[in-house]
Amino acid sequence: MPSATASGSDAKGDSARSRDHNQGNQERKCTPEQKAAVIRIRRCKATAFYDILDLESVRSSCTDADIKKAYRKQSLLTHPDKNGHEHADEAFKMVSRAFGVLGDKEKREKYDRFGTDPDSRFESARAQASNPFAGFGGARAGGPPGAGFGGGGMWEEEISPEEMFQRFFGGAFGGPFGGFDTGPQFVFNIGGNRGFRVHQMGGAGPRRRPREAEAEQRQASGWDTLISLLPILFLFVFPLLSSLFSGGEPQPAVPSMVFDAAQPPLTHHRTTPKLDIDYFVDPAEVAGWNDYKLRQLDKEAEVGFVRALRRHCDTEMRTKRDLIDKAQGWFFPDPDKMKIADQFEMRSCKRMDALGISR
């Protein structure tokens, strides 16, 4: 017979993933012990919380540690991730509900006194009516009217069975299905006016309220966004700031230039580094430039030449397409216009092909 510890090790994984228990479980199997647990639990009344956790015989003497052990065993037996029985999901929810009541000291006291679900307004009010003086001892000091009946309604703000399972087996118990501490660790206040609260008396650090957890998550996501933007800041913002506040001289502007043939006053001859394109600049504009600045100028001239040549080639291709479209006519092509389109010379495109520049 597999123990609760062995079943716990099999239940590792992402319990928050989306699934359809009723359909998915029908395709998987369950052990005889798992099947018997599901059948036994479903035979219990919905509010027979001790019986659901198999503690009916010791209900008057069982401790908080006994309730936690019972929840651990029954939740591992009925968890739909490993139990393929078609009603495992229903049994698992009943186990979680039972622990949600018996694991909370105040709710357990109300349940032991009235025998009804402490989170049900109707049942608690009916029990209170049968004993009108019993509710005064159970009311919370300073609480709102009706606080003695368990707060905000049946299943109104309680955590899900999956979340309860995750919280029970994580954190305070040393990770998923870690070593079980029989000492008091926490109790859930499910369905109250503030969602749930956790009393930490040992184990790991104190648990967070839902609103605190959401705020902490939002703060963490903000830091993640800032960290993801740091490379952009280093690449663009810091160089800009350094150039603004640096004491060095600003870089001179690129002088005017022409390609292939000199045009006064652009008579100083230079050549681009890779394509060996001749270009000319005004000697007065580059007077006093060192070799490094002149080499940078050669590179910039080549980039500008390629950009201008590609732009002219694009214009030539569009012009030729327009000529061909006009020569097609509505019903039949015009031979004269088609001849003009065919003879249209695309000098820039041919030069790009000759230089090995991609279009």
Side-chain angles (χ1 to χ4, degrees):
M1 177 182 298
S3 63
T5 303
S7 300
S9 62
D10 292 339
K12 290 182 179 180
D14 187 7
S15 62
R17 66 182 180 274
S18 176
R19 62 177 178 270
D20 186 345
H21 294 319
N22 292 334
Q23 294 181 1
N25 288 343
Q26 292 173 359
E27 299 177 0
R28 296 185 287 113
K29 299 180 180 179
C30 61
T31 64
E33 184 182 9
Q34 292 174 329
K35 180 179 179 180
V38 172
I39 295 175
R40 182 191 65 80
I41 292 171
R42 292 188 69 247
R43 288 176 178 172
C44 301
K45 291 179 58 178
T47 57
F49 300 136
Y50 286 103
D51 198 10
I52 291 173
L53 295 182
D54 202 14
L55 294 173
E56 183 63 31
S57 59
V58 292
R59 62 179 298 169
S60 60
S61 60
C62 63
T63 63
D64 292 341
D66 295 332
I67 294 174
K68 293 170 187 174
K69 288 181 180 179
Y71 170 72
R72 176 187 177 91
K73 178 180 179 180
Q74 300 302 325
S75 64
L76 292 177
L77 283 174
T78 58
H79 197 288
D81 277 352
K82 297 301 292 183
N83 190 334
H85 195 278
E86 59 180 345
H87 298 297
D89 186 72
E90 179 183 352
F92 178 68
K93 291 179 180 179
M94 293 176 67
V95 170
S96 300
R97 181 63 184 150
F99 179 67
V101 173
L102 300 183
D104 186 297
K105 183 178 180 181
E106 295 180 6
K107 292 185 179 183
R108 183 184 176 186
E109 290 177 355
K110 294 177 182 178
Y111 177 74
D112 291 341
R113 182 183 304 131
F114 300 124
T116 58
D117 187 348
D119 287 333
S120 172
R121 291 180 182 271
F122 175 76
E123 294 293 339
S124 297
R126 185 174 63 178
Q128 184 74 9
S130 63
N131 186 4
F133 298 101
F136 291 102
R140 298 176 185 176
F149 300 119
M154 182 187 301
W155 301 90
E156 197 169 70
E157 296 180 355
E158 64 179 306
I159 61 176
S160 65
E162 287 287 354
E163 187 176 354
M164 176 186 293
F165 185 85
Q166 183 70 22
R167 291 179 180 276
F168 185 87
F169 289 102
F173 295 93
F177 312 108
F180 183 77
D181 185 1
T182 57
Q185 296 290 338
F186 61 82
V187 293
F188 289 90
N189 179 22
I190 307 173
N193 293 328
R194 296 293 183 180
F196 68 89
R197 75 173 188 272
V198 177
H199 300 285
Q200 184 71 24
M201 302 176 63
R207 305 300 179 91
R208 304 285 185 182
R209 293 178 180 269
R211 293 186 180 88
E212 295 177 358
E214 292 175 0
E216 184 176 346
Q217 184 177 5
R218 286 195 298 269
Q219 184 178 3
S221 63
W223 278 108
D224 294 340
T225 304
L226 179 60
I227 293 174
S228 65
L229 292 176
L230 285 179
I232 300 177
L233 295 176
F234 280 111
L235 287 176
F236 298 101
V237 178
F238 291 162
L240 179 61
L241 293 177
S242 62
S243 64
L244 290 176
F245 296 101
S246 62
E249 297 180 357
Q251 293 293 331
V254 177
S256 302
M257 62 183 67
V258 293
F259 297 93
D260 298 329
Q263 297 179 7
L266 308 178
T267 58
H268 183 71
H269 176 256
R270 299 287 301 176
T271 306
T272 61
K274 295 181 180 180
L275 299 178
D276 292 329
I277 305 299
D278 295 326
Y279 74 98
F280 300 85
V281 296
D282 187 350
E285 294 185 2
V286 295
W289 283 30
N290 55 29
D291 292 340
Y292 173 77
K293 291 182 179 180
L294 291 174
R295 288 195 299 269
Q296 294 298 319
L297 179 62
D298 294 341
K299 294 179 181 179
E300 293 177 2
E302 184 167 280
V303 172
F305 172 80
V306 173
R307 185 183 298 113
L309 194 63
R310 183 175 284 114
R311 184 169 60 250
H312 293 161
C313 179
D314 292 340
T315 303
E316 292 170 352
M317 289 190 296
R318 286 196 300 270
T319 302
K320 187 166 186 175
R321 281 196 298 268
D322 292 341
L323 291 174
I324 294 175
D325 291 340
K326 292 178 180 178
Q328 294 294 336
W330 287 98
F331 302 102
F332 51 87
D334 188 333
D336 295 333
K337 292 183 179 180
M338 187 62 69
K339 184 178 180 180
I340 296 174
D342 292 338
Q343 292 178 352
F344 178 77
E345 187 176 4
M346 298 190 297
R347 296 179 180 179
S348 298
C349 295
K350 289 181 178 180
R351 191 169 186 183
M352 288 183 65
D353 296 338
L355 295 173
I357 303 173
S358 62
R359 297 187 187 181

